[in-house]
Amino acid sequence: MADAKAAGTETTRRGALAWLLGAWGLFGGACAVGAGAMGRFLFPNVSFDPPQTFKAGYTSDFEVGKVDERFKAKYGVWIVRNDEEIYVLSTTCTHLGCQPNYLEAEAKIKCPCHGSGFKPTGINFEGPAPRPLERFRIVLAEDGQILVDKTKKFQYELGQWDQPEAFLKV
Amino acid sequence: MPKPLKELLDPRQAAESVASTQVWKSIFRHGYPDSPRNRALTMISNVFLHLHPIRMKKHGLRLRYTWCMGGLTFFLFLIETITGLLLMFYYRPTPEYAHYDMQYLREDVPVGITREIHRWAAHAMVITVWLHMFRVFLTGSYKPPREFNWGIGVFLLVFTLLLSFTGYLLPWDQLAIWAITVGSNMARATPFLGHEGPGASLLKIGDLNLVHAGDDAKFGLLGGRFVGAPALLRFYVLHCVGFPLLLATLIAVHFWRVRRDGGISGPA
């Protein structure tokens, strides 16, 4: 002991605690980095989901009074044209998120999961759905095509269907 | 000098000569269980037997008292493990194959009932877990010193339900896809981590939302914005590896604590 003291290499209580604290801190930090890396691992940089924004062709491609189902499977939207406007309707049921079917003969949108029914306008009229289907942003692109943007939604119950870009005047 | 034939054929002597070999003694390091000490050693020196108690209370053997529901649940877990392992030899968790592999397992693989046993045992396991919980409540077996084990049991219930939920997607039919769509939509409402959950709208830098449909809890669960190929693979991995490992670990803790806290079924 005396030799160690003389040589200045004696382990003091304070020194041991500092060493322990440093070691545990390093270990804890490494674990935190590892946990963070594992969490990040589950969120890939490339998504194979269809893009949120897409071009849907020209206004003349859409018949008046028809619910266009061409973009349902890939993008999850109906594009509807009536006498005055074109609007984009979400195919996600507002009850629990299933995908309803458009029944042309009955001119209604019907969800197979729990029976919610919607008019082609998106207004709910039967079943458990608490609110109308959502609509998405629709504008004309520079080349004259319809541009659908699913990142911006318009909700009837919030009075947003009258806002610009919630529909396209034709 | 060779032993006389009569001696070799005598069961007692034959058993004794086997029991005195080095191989036997290296495996069983105790004598016949004919004394309290040897009976105890029999149980504690064997990894499989040591799950059982050395001695137990009389009421622990009464079926009307325990319903054997914990034991049945563990039995069903073993059935799920074995049948699940067998199913993995045929099932491929990709949208192209998943549903047809399930039909193939049901229709064309010999002893195709294996798939149905896996399904029925899963239903039964959920029921027996609830009944086990109900029995533990009725007999007051959650009271001190068993409060901690009740807590472990609640986690076992949660993982049993999560195994059922993840297994539900694997047949990859309309029922599976929309059921998981509805179920995983709940993850959107996770506080701070789900993009429609409370607090998520607070996490933004300027106009930039940090938590949105492309990076929230639901996205992490499904590997996408909706139930697709990545979701099928993630649920498969969780169902076959992740949750069973967690469940097995918790089962070990649960059983260990049953022994440490004074044996099964007693209130004290």
Side-chain angles (χ1 to χ4, degrees):
Chain A
M1 276 311 259
D3 293 344
K5 201 166 194 172
T9 55
E10 188 192 27
T11 305
T12 60
R13 180 186 294 260
R14 188 178 293 259
L17 279 174
W19 192 87
L20 265 178
L21 201 70
W24 275 107
L26 211 61
F27 179 66
C31 286
V33 169
M38 266 159 48
R40 184 65 186 82
F41 180 80
L42 292 173
F43 293 85
N45 292 332
V46 175
S47 166
F48 293 94
D49 290 351
Q52 294 287 95
T53 308
F54 66 96
K55 284 182 180 172
Y58 300 95
T59 52
S60 55
D61 297 342
F62 296 90
E63 270 182 58
V64 175
K66 206 179 160 196
V67 175
D68 196 306
E69 299 223 70
R70 281 179 296 156
F71 304 97
K72 183 186 174 188
K74 186 167 179 190
Y75 297 104
V77 297
W78 287 294
I79 298 183
V80 190
R81 177 170 180 172
N82 60 25
D83 293 333
E84 298 155 5
E85 60 190 34
I86 296 180
Y87 53 85
V88 182
L89 214 51
S90 163
T91 63
T92 302
C93 181
T94 51
H95 178 222
L96 290 176
C98 292
Q99 192 174 50
N101 300 308
Y102 175 60
L103 310 176
E104 194 163 16
E106 298 168 54
K108 77 172 179 184
I109 291 161
K110 188 74 176 166
C111 185
C113 283
H114 309 97
S116 295
F118 307 86
K119 300 288 183 194
T121 53
I123 301 289
N124 54 314
F125 69 95
E126 63 179 2
R131 58 195 180 88
L133 295 174
E134 289 167 1
R135 293 186 183 181
F136 293 123
R137 179 168 172 258
I138 178 171
V139 289
L140 280 184
E142 283 169 9
D143 59 359
Q145 286 200 62
I146 290 172
L147 186 77
V148 174
D149 174 12
K150 286 176 66 187
T151 60
K152 175 103 178 84
K153 65 185 181 187
F154 297 90
Q155 291 170 245
Y156 174 82
E157 67 278 13
L158 301 179
Q160 293 171 333
W161 280 6
D162 298 329
Q163 290 177 7
E165 302 191 335
F167 59 89
L168 200 64
K169 208 82 186 158
V170 282
Chain B
M1 182 184 148
K3 289 177 184 176
L5 189 65
K6 192 184 166 209
E7 199 173 303
L8 280 174
L9 289 179
D10 179 35
R12 182 178 291 266
Q13 290 206 8
E16 262 171 27
S17 64
V18 169
S20 61
T21 59
Q22 194 180 354
V23 172
W24 181 274
K25 281 180 171 171
S26 71
I27 300 171
F28 303 102
R29 306 190 60 184
H30 51 78
Y32 289 117
D34 51 4
S35 66
R37 178 186 150 78
N38 275 342
R39 285 195 190 116
L41 281 174
T42 303
M43 303 307 280
I44 62 173
S45 66
N46 181 308
V47 71
F48 300 107
L49 290 181
H50 96 283
L51 295 174
H52 297 284
I54 293 168
R55 57 176 66 85
M56 65 188 301
K57 290 170 187 148
K58 211 172 182 179
H59 63 81
L61 291 170
R62 277 179 55 211
L63 209 57
R64 278 170 61 190
Y65 191 81
T66 65
W67 300 349
C68 197
M69 273 306 148
L72 273 177
T73 306
F74 183 59
F75 172 68
L76 289 167
F77 176 72
L78 292 180
I79 288 186
E80 289 301 82
T81 309
I82 294 165
T83 55
L85 200 72
L86 288 172
L87 296 179
M88 285 172 78
F89 283 116
Y90 287 99
Y91 179 82
R92 288 166 287 182
T94 51
E96 292 90 335
Y97 299 122
H99 184 72
Y100 298 106
D101 285 350
M102 188 271 293
Q103 285 186 333
Y104 183 69
L105 271 163
R106 210 172 54 190
E107 307 292 342
D108 301 319
V109 174
V111 203
I113 203 174
T114 303
R115 190 245 163 199
E116 311 306 331
I117 291 174
H118 193 75
R119 203 173 84 91
W120 293 332
H123 289 311
M125 191 171 156
V126 172
I127 294 169
T128 57
V129 166
W130 283 118
L131 288 178
H132 175 56
M133 203 174 186
F134 185 48
R135 192 282 290 174
V136 167
F137 181 76
L138 288 184
T139 58
S141 306
Y142 57 87
K143 290 175 184 171
R146 294 186 173 83
E147 319 98 300
F148 179 73
N149 221 10
W150 174 274
I152 296 288
V154 171
F155 278 98
L156 285 172
L157 168 68
V158 169
F159 281 114
T160 304
L161 296 178
L162 283 174
L163 274 166
S164 284
F165 183 64
T166 48
Y168 202 15
L169 181 64
L170 304 184
W172 201 246
D173 50 16
Q174 288 293 315
L175 180 68
I177 292 169
W178 297 113
I180 302 306
T181 299
V182 169
S184 61
N185 271 337
M186 281 190 278
R188 291 191 307 198
T190 315
F192 294 102
L193 297 178
H195 75 280
E196 287 179 4
S201 55
L202 300 173
L203 299 174
K204 52 161 62 179
I205 301 171
D207 275 348
L208 185 71
N209 278 319
L210 291 181
V211 179
H212 53 77
D215 72 352
D216 70 342
K218 186 190 170 194
F219 188 95
L221 191 63
L222 298 182
R225 285 183 173 82
F226 51 85
V227 178
L232 179 57
L233 187 55
R234 280 181 188 208
F235 273 49
Y236 176 78
V237 172
L238 287 174
H239 184 79
C240 298
V241 186
F243 291 149
L245 275 180
L246 284 168
L247 198 75
T249 309
L250 286 178
I251 286 174
V253 176
H254 198 64
F255 287 7
W256 172 260
R257 286 303 293 241
V258 167
R259 299 286 164 256
R260 296 293 127 172
D261 295 343
I264 63 165
S265 75

